[in-house]
Amino acid sequence: NNNEATPDKRSKDSENHTPATTATVHSLHGHEELNEQMRMIDLTEEDLDLLRMMKPIVEREINYITDQFYNTVLGVNKLESIILEHSSIERLKGTLKQHIIEIFDGKVDEQYIAKRLTIAKIHKKVGLEPKWYLSAFQNLQNVFITVMYNETYKDNERLKVVQTVTKLLNLEQQLVLE
Ligand code: HEM
């Protein structure tokens, strides 16, 4: 059957930079705009599968990931003050660890959306400005990409994994900053 994408064909497609539209996009009932956002970043079920496969790596490296994050956040006086006033470093570290691991459950559902709205509200309440949230996020993304790079050996795997991770982190930012 010529219509079926063979592994060879697929790797050729990715060399030609055609979008990977092999799997259906997640479609959430009653969230038409979000579905469109996910389509726009080409988030597919395949990405969610890949995320679940990466979960053990993230669990293994979670201390490294969150330590890097906190070292840079605590280097900014303004941010350190917010944390000390409204929470504690240990508590927030625990929260972030759990949150990051959860992202790799690869589930984008009602609960996922609700949680991002809560995070947005809390950040607003503690006075965390979007520019700092985005800076912290970029830092997190840098660390993620380094970890994933070290765990993959083929160029096409690396590309795929990095694309998947950045898609999910981007979706997260879209929801938290809305
Ligand atoms: C709360 C994630 C950046 C300060 C939270 C929560 C999550 C979270 C999951 C808990 C929400 C809940 O209770 O349901 C993130 C992510 C960030 C980020 C993914 C960026 C990558 C920051 C930064 C600060 C910060 C840069 C620095 C001031 C706080 C504070 C709370 C909070 C003070 C309340 C914590 C508490 O109740 O103990 N954040 N956050 N966050 N975040 Fe962030």
Side-chain angles (χ1 to χ4, degrees):
N1 186 342
N2 284 337
N3 291 331
E4 252 167 40
T6 61
D8 281 345
K9 235 179 161 179
R10 233 180 274 166
S11 59
K12 236 200 171 136
D13 280 348
S14 58
E15 277 165 26
N16 291 333
H17 307 288
T18 46
T21 45
T22 45
T24 48
V25 174
H26 216 91
S27 60
L28 278 166
H29 196 68
H31 294 280
E32 302 321 321
E33 204 162 61
L34 180 60
N35 290 333
E36 259 177 346
Q37 288 163 252
M38 290 192 280
R39 257 195 300 279
M40 193 156 174
I41 64 171
D42 192 32
L43 180 72
T44 65
E45 294 290 346
E46 202 183 338
D47 288 307
L48 299 181
D49 286 342
L50 189 56
L51 272 183
R52 289 188 276 270
M53 281 170 55
M54 287 188 278
K55 188 174 174 177
I57 300 169
V58 174
E59 282 175 319
R60 169 159 48 82
E61 299 295 332
I62 194 66
N63 286 332
Y64 172 69
I65 295 168
T66 49
D67 283 349
Q68 298 294 310
F69 175 84
Y70 277 99
N71 287 343
T72 49
V73 168
L74 296 176
V76 181
N77 284 338
K78 211 174 172 179
L79 302 181
E80 187 185 22
S81 309
I82 292 178
I83 293 172
L84 298 180
E85 189 183 334
H86 296 277
S87 183
S88 74
I89 293 160
E90 276 320 300
R91 183 169 146 175
L92 211 49
K93 249 189 191 170
T95 305
L96 189 72
K97 275 183 197 172
Q98 205 194 341
H99 182 73
I100 289 172
I101 292 171
E102 239 176 65
I103 294 177
F104 287 81
D105 283 339
K107 266 196 231 151
V108 180
D109 52 16
E110 292 296 338
Q111 205 191 332
Y112 175 95
I113 299 168
K115 185 167 182 198
R116 273 70 197 163
L117 293 181
T118 305
I119 296 172
K121 273 192 206 138
I122 292 176
H123 283 166
K124 198 166 180 198
K125 203 177 91 193
V126 302
L128 177 67
E129 295 164 282
K131 64 183 174 193
W132 294 116
Y133 170 75
L134 284 175
S135 307
F137 223 104
Q138 183 57 42
N139 178 268
L140 193 61
Q141 182 162 305
N142 293 346
V143 178
F144 262 126
I145 290 177
T146 305
V147 167
M148 294 311 172
Y149 191 87
N150 291 334
E151 294 287 336
T152 43
Y153 302 100
K154 291 188 202 145
D155 281 350
N156 59 343
E157 262 177 29
R158 280 194 168 137
L159 176 65
K160 188 86 203 157
V161 162
V162 168
Q163 280 179 337
T164 295
V165 169
T166 56
K167 281 180 206 179
L168 252 291
L169 296 184
N170 177 272
L171 182 65
E172 173 112 7
Q173 295 172 73
Q174 291 184 39
L175 285 164
V176 172
L177 290 182
E178 192 175 290

